[in-house]
């Protein structure tokens, strides 16, 4: 993906090397971790939005 513009949270600084990065693509959204940039996950805006809403609502919280 040579022309992909990756973005990370404004909460990420140079001190924190392990950041989740997002990029918009013609067929959805790409997600990767900065310390493993070759491992890229593709999703849709709707699926990512659902995941974010569930995380914010605490629906993904589990104790092991």
């Amino acid at each position: 993906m040579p022309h992909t513009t990756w973005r990370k949270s404004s909460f990420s600084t140079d001190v924190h090397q392990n950041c989740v990065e997002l990029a918009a693509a013609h067929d959805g959204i790409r997600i990767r971790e900065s310390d493993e940039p070759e491992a890229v996950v593709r999703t849709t805006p709707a699926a990512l939005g659902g995941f974010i809403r569930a995380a914010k609502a605490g629906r993904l919280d589990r104790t092991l």
Side-chain angles (χ1 to χ4, degrees):
M1 290 176 277
H3 294 57
T4 303
T5 302
W6 292 95
R7 299 183 56 117
K8 64 181 175 179
S9 170
S10 60
F11 289 102
S12 298
T13 64
D14 292 337
V15 175
H16 302 99
Q17 295 298 316
N18 300 327
C19 304
V20 174
E21 299 174 317
L22 300 174
H26 69 281
D27 61 346
I29 296 174
R30 304 283 189 267
I31 304 171
R32 71 180 185 182
E33 216 176 312
S34 61
D35 63 338
E36 289 190 51
E38 65 282 348
V40 178
V41 176
R42 182 177 67 195
T43 190
T44 65
L48 181 58
F51 174 79
I52 291 170
R53 284 189 298 279
K56 284 182 175 182
R59 294 193 305 264
L60 304 177
D61 295 348
R62 300 267 193 267
T63 56
L64 299 175

